[in-house]
Amino acid sequence: MINCQECGKPLTGRVDKKFCSDMCRNSFNNRLNSDSYNIVRNINNQLRKNRRILEELCPDEKSKTTKHILLAKGFDFNLITNVRPTLKGSIYRFVYDYGYLELDNDFYLIVRDKRLEK
């Protein structure tokens, strides 16, 4: 006989059943993912914050800002979702659909990729 993977009670019903109840299934999965969950949640929260900052500073397709303004709003330059090099050799760093390009004198060009709206 097979027992519940969370509480150990004997299982009845389907042959491939692993848990005796939804509560046991949820408890098992929450315990399994708890140590990595905080890290993932914190990174996702900062990525969303980065995107909101870029969205606020770029109401149109393009805009310019300074590093000081980005840092003052809480932007984290270490967290991005992808990188896109241009044909001219410049590198845009993206946070979802908003990208930024480092210019001279601590200025940044912010762009929005409308191709992702589909």
Side-chain angles (χ1 to χ4, degrees):
M1 180 159 259
I2 299 173
N3 295 333
C4 175
Q5 290 184 6
E6 178 63 16
C7 69
K9 290 182 183 176
L11 297 176
T12 58
R14 291 178 38 172
V15 179
D16 60 345
K17 195 171 182 181
K18 296 180 181 180
F19 305 100
C20 64
S21 66
D22 287 338
M23 188 174 79
C24 277
R25 178 179 48 82
N26 288 334
S27 295
F28 178 85
N29 287 318
N30 287 341
R31 190 170 30 82
L32 184 69
N33 296 321
S34 66
D35 51 339
S36 66
Y37 182 72
N38 286 337
I39 294 168
V40 172
R41 185 184 66 230
N42 292 341
I43 290 171
N44 284 337
N45 285 340
Q46 184 61 50
L47 282 169
R48 283 193 299 273
K49 182 177 182 179
N50 280 358
R51 186 192 178 281
R52 278 193 306 271
I53 292 167
L54 294 174
E55 181 180 31
E56 175 189 334
L57 295 173
C58 184
D60 300 319
E61 288 187 28
K62 293 181 181 181
S63 71
K64 283 187 183 178
T65 190
T66 63
K67 185 173 188 174
H68 175 75
I69 291 172
L70 288 167
L71 290 173
K73 291 184 175 288
F75 192 84
D76 185 347
F77 285 92
N78 295 315
L79 293 176
I80 58 173
T81 55
N82 61 322
V83 176
R84 289 191 200 158
T86 65
L87 295 175
K88 295 180 180 179
S90 301
I91 297 177
Y92 280 88
R93 288 164 175 78
F94 273 80
V95 180
Y96 302 112
D97 56 336
Y98 284 91
Y100 60 93
L101 174 67
E102 187 173 4
L103 304 172
D104 295 331
N105 301 322
D106 283 341
F107 276 92
Y108 285 84
L109 174 66
I110 302 172
V111 297
R112 183 171 181 207
D113 185 0
K114 292 194 173 197
R115 295 179 295 177
L116 299 175
E117 288 181 359
K118 296 177 183 176

